[in-house]
Amino acid sequence: QVQFVESGGGLVQPGGSLIVSCAASGIIFRRLTMGWYRQAPGKQRELVAAITSSGITNYADSVKGRFTISRDNAKNTGYLQMNSLTPEDTAVYYCNVNPPNNYWGQGTQVTVSS
């Protein structure tokens, strides 16, 4: 059973910070590239950030310099630290491998608003 469980989302003011977490199971997590994706209202799901098994990272231009992706292979867990949040970051955030498989979790809602 491949499963991704996201957590840590919530309501945050513009300029604030959040960290979201992803617990993965059913895969050899440490050997795979992990990605964070998000889907905003009325938009398609997009890749936000990715990190390879060796720690090489890539970011979408819209979040570069503000978000940091990381992983703890011993815990089969990935993280996304989000700083300087804006209303445009409001979305449901999902984790998966990159390229993604079909085993999407429920995601965690991040809402940036005053």
Side-chain angles (χ1 to χ4, degrees):
Q1 298 179 357
V2 179
Q3 189 174 42
F4 301 98
V5 180
E6 301 91 347
S7 62
L11 177 64
V12 63
Q13 293 182 328
S17 298
L18 277 178
I19 184 167
V20 291
S21 301
C22 170
S25 60
I27 58 172
I28 306 176
F29 178 79
R30 66 185 181 276
R31 298 174 62 181
L32 300 171
T33 296
M34 185 196 73
W36 280 98
Y37 304 77
R38 69 184 182 187
Q39 187 167 25
K43 297 183 178 180
Q44 294 185 329
R45 183 154 45 203
E46 63 174 343
L47 177 67
V48 175
I51 181 169
T52 70
S53 60
S54 61
I56 300 172
T57 59
N58 279 298
Y59 298 92
D61 288 341
S62 59
V63 307
K64 193 172 298 182
R66 300 188 297 119
F67 290 12
T68 302
I69 187 171
S70 61
R71 63 194 299 164
D72 185 340
N73 288 336
K75 298 175 65 176
N76 283 5
T77 301
Y79 306 93
L80 185 68
Q81 176 70 54
M82 300 180 287
N83 299 323
S84 302
L85 286 162
T86 75
E88 288 69 43
D89 296 314
T90 295
V92 178
Y93 284 73
Y94 302 88
C95 61
N96 209 310
V97 293
N98 180 236
N101 60 33
N102 294 323
Y103 301 98
W104 295 98
Q106 295 298 305
T108 186
Q109 175 73 49
V110 174
T111 302
V112 185
S113 176
S114 298

